[in-house]
């Protein structure tokens, strides 16, 4: 058989190998099918006897074993990226493994690149040394396979990102429906809320319910976690709260039931800090329970006299039954201002790493006594923005201000 005939036969086999792998890729075969076809074409058409293929795992930063054929011994599942040294001799790249890797059956290491990025390593040995092996073609064929695998991985990642985006969009829509569409602004009560979610879906919740013209309930809460789980927990929490408020239960019974519902839904793995207040216009009485939340601030008169509302219990959802429970009460309240907020407000940082803190918030309230909620929010958030000087916020920020007359 002449040399030309041998070359012709080899090119014919290479063409068959290329046709088989590209046809499988065009038919969108699974990763396992592509790997098996590649192995088959190498062994049948390319004079290859032993074969190992390791493909780079970008997330873990090592090479994963994908194919092994006719290679004995305890083969490693992974090859560390730092153990692979690239050698360039006579314009061609080869590899050296510095780790404790021993593949006695294979003597050729072929790096597989795409756009200067090493995607895989092919280890092989030939059946017939006289027939030889076209390393350039073998490398090109491996490149076609590995790029196809990379494209599949990228497509899976895009699908996963799209799924997460839709989940967040649903959660965000659910969250918007939880908040009151409008807040009162009349002679007896003026309300203003400012809410800055840290991400698409936040963990803060606020509400204001007026079951009659003589009374109003108001609350603020912070659900542990973010995203869809926090949104679903918040949704269940709001539904339970509104049902309990319609039943006419007292504050202690409401909070005890909310704690039980939260614990039952989360098995103690998530919790909610919560403040619930109730004001009766006729009795001029404020009742409240603070369940582990940042204590709201009550401004009693125009001289800047303040109190914080701390009476209550621990966080909701941590225990099946609350270990202690106290209801706070303030009587003979006619004209007063109440500020409810979440910890994202006081935990805002400036470029020096200094926390805004509760003291600064209290000082600002003292220096703006009797200011209506709209003007208070405008001035305060300008002040907070100046303090943070562009440092990204680390949590949701909610401020709900209520002015009772």
């Amino acid at each position: 058989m002449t040399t030309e005939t041998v070359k012709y036969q080899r090119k014919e086999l290479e063409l068959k190998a290329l046709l088989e792998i590209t046809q499988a890729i065009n038919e969108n075969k699974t990763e396992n099918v592509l790997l098996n076809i590649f192995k088959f074409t190498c062994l049948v058409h390319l004079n290859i006897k032993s074969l190992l293929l390791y493909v780079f795992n970008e997330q873990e930063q090592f090479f994963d074993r994908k194919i092994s054929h006719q290679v004995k011994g305890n083969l490693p599942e992974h090859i560390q990226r730092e153990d692979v040294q690239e050698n360039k001799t006579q314009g061609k790249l080869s590899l050296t493994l510095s780790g404790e890797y021993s593949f006695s059956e294979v003597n050729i290491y072929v790096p597989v690149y795409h756009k200067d990025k090493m995607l895989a390593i092919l280890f092989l040995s030939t059946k017939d040394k006289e027939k030889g092996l076209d390393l350039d073609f073998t490398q090109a064929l491996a490149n076609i396979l590995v790029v196809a695998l990379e494209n599949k991985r990228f497509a899976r990642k895009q699908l996963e990102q799209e799924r997460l985006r839709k989940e967040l969009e649903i959660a965000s829509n659910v969250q918007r429906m939880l908040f009151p569409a409008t807040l009162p602004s009349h002679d007896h009560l003026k309300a203003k809320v400012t809410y800055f979610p840290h991400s698409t879906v936040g963990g803060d919740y606020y509400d204001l319910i007026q079951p009659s013209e003589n009374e109003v309930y108001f609350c603020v809460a912070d659900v542990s976690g973010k995203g869809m789980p926090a949104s679903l927990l918040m949704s269940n929490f709001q539904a339970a709260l509104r049902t309990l408020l319609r039943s006419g239960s007292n504050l202690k019974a409401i909070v005890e039931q909310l704690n039980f519902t939260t614990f039952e839904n989360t098995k103690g793995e998530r919790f909610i800090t919560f403040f619930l207040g109730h004001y009766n216009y006729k009795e001029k009485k404020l009742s409240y329970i603070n369940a582990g939340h940042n204590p709201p601030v009550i401004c009693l008169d125009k001289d800047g006299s303040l109190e914080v509302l701390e009476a209550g219990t621990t966080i909701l959802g941590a225990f099946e039954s609350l270990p202690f429970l106290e209801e706070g009460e303030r009587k003979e309240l006619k004209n007063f201002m109440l500020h409810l907020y979440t910890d994202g407000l006081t935990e805002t940082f400036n470029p020096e790493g200094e926390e805004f803190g509760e003291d600064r918030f209290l000082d600002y309230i003292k220096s703006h006594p009797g200011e209506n909620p709209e003007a208070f929010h405008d001035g305060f958030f300008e002040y907070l923005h100046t303090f943070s000087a562009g440092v990204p916020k680390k949590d949701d920020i909610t401020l709900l201000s209520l002015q009772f007359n």
Side-chain angles (χ1 to χ4, degrees), residues 16-30:
K16 286 182 180 178
L18 183 61
L19 184 62
E20 286 173 1
I21 193 70
T22 53
Q23 186 175 350
I25 292 169
N26 291 335
E27 292 173 359
N28 199 27
K29 299 292 187 182
T30 66

Side-chain angles (χ1 to χ4, degrees), residues 225-385:
K226 297 288 185 290
M228 182 66 83
S231 178
L232 291 174
L233 178 57
M234 190 189 296
S235 177
N236 289 333
F237 185 82
Q238 187 228 35
L241 172 62
R242 293 207 162 203
T243 300
L244 290 166
L245 291 178
R246 284 195 294 269
S247 71
S249 304
N250 61 57
L251 293 190
K252 282 189 175 182
I254 290 171
V255 170
E256 284 175 336
Q257 184 58 48
L258 287 172
N259 176 71
F260 178 76
T261 301
T262 304
F263 183 86
E264 194 174 47
N265 287 338
T266 66
K267 308 304 179 189
E269 294 180 0
R270 288 181 178 271
F271 60 86
I272 299 174
T273 67
F274 177 59
F275 177 91
L276 175 63
H278 173 258
Y279 183 70
N280 187 297
Y281 293 98
K282 278 190 174 182
E283 298 176 4
K284 301 180 181 63
K285 186 178 77 171
L286 170 68
S287 305
Y288 69 90
I289 292 177
N290 187 338
H293 196 77
N294 303 83
V297 184
I298 184 170
C299 188
L300 297 169
D301 49 48
K302 292 186 178 181
D303 66 2
S305 176
L306 304 181
E307 285 184 19
V308 292
L309 306 180
E310 297 180 305
T313 183
T314 186
I315 57 178
L316 305 184
F319 306 98
E320 189 170 1
S321 60
L322 295 169
F324 58 89
L325 181 56
E326 176 188 2
E327 183 177 322
E329 193 176 273
R330 291 288 276 106
K331 295 181 178 179
E332 295 303 317
L333 286 176
K334 296 180 182 179
N335 301 302
F336 65 99
M337 189 85 145
L338 191 59
H339 299 288
L340 299 83
Y341 65 99
T342 56
D343 56 8
L345 186 150
T346 51
E347 292 175 3
T348 298
F349 287 85
N350 65 12
E352 288 72 42
E354 189 179 9
E355 190 178 67
F356 183 74
E358 186 178 326
D359 289 342
R360 280 193 180 87
F361 184 46
L362 294 176
D363 288 342
Y364 187 88
I365 296 173
K366 285 179 184 177
S367 64
H368 294 77
E371 196 169 49
N372 71 71
E374 191 80 34
F376 181 88
H377 279 232
D378 288 344
F380 173 73
F381 281 100
E382 185 177 342
Y383 175 62
L384 186 67
H385 180 72

Side-chain angles (χ1 to χ4, degrees), residues 19-52:
L19 184 62
E20 286 173 1
I21 193 70
T22 53
Q23 186 175 350
I25 292 169
N26 291 335
E27 292 173 359
N28 199 27
K29 299 292 187 182
T30 66
E31 180 175 311
N32 285 336
V33 170
L34 290 180
L35 289 168
N36 284 329
I37 289 175
F38 176 77
K39 181 173 77 170
F40 175 80
T41 56
C42 286
L43 298 175
V44 172
H45 301 315
L46 300 184
N47 191 34
I48 291 174
K49 177 183 177 184
S50 302
L51 179 66
L52 273 175

Side-chain angles (χ1 to χ4, degrees), residues 58-184:
E58 191 153 2
Q59 185 176 354
E60 302 293 341
Q61 290 294 300
F62 52 56
F63 292 88
D64 287 323
R65 178 158 57 88
K66 295 291 186 180
I67 297 175
S68 61
H69 180 79
Q70 292 290 348
V71 182
K72 298 176 183 177
N74 188 18
L75 300 175
E77 288 294 325
H78 316 290
I79 294 177
Q80 300 302 320
R81 180 64 182 88
E82 59 267 22
D83 290 341
V84 180
Q85 279 80 45
E86 303 169 49
N87 314 310
K88 193 168 185 179
T89 55
Q90 296 180 347
K92 290 193 175 184
L93 281 164
S94 60
L95 299 176
T96 303
L97 300 183
S98 60
E100 296 180 3
Y101 308 106
S102 177
F103 311 127
S104 56
E105 292 87 352
V106 292
N107 51 21
I108 303 171
Y109 298 175
V110 181
V112 180
Y113 284 85
H114 180 64
K115 296 181 179 178
D116 297 325
K117 178 182 175 184
M118 190 188 298
L119 295 182
I121 311 171
L122 189 64
F123 303 82
L124 51 90
S125 64
T126 56
K127 295 177 186 175
D128 188 341
K129 292 183 180 180
E130 291 184 4
K131 287 186 178 179
L133 178 70
D134 189 336
L135 278 179
D136 289 338
F137 177 80
T138 306
Q139 190 176 36
L141 192 67
N143 181 273
I144 291 169
L145 167 74
V146 173
V147 169
L149 297 180
E150 182 77 358
N151 288 340
K152 282 183 174 293
R153 185 194 66 80
F154 183 69
R156 285 195 302 269
K157 187 177 179 181
Q158 281 190 314
L159 285 173
E160 178 67 13
Q161 288 175 339
E162 179 63 17
R163 183 185 67 79
L164 290 174
R165 188 193 66 77
K166 286 184 177 178
E167 275 192 6
L168 287 174
E169 186 179 338
I170 292 168
S172 179
N173 291 335
V174 168
Q175 189 176 59
R176 278 196 296 272
M177 289 187 286
L178 299 183
F179 298 136
T182 58
L183 292 174

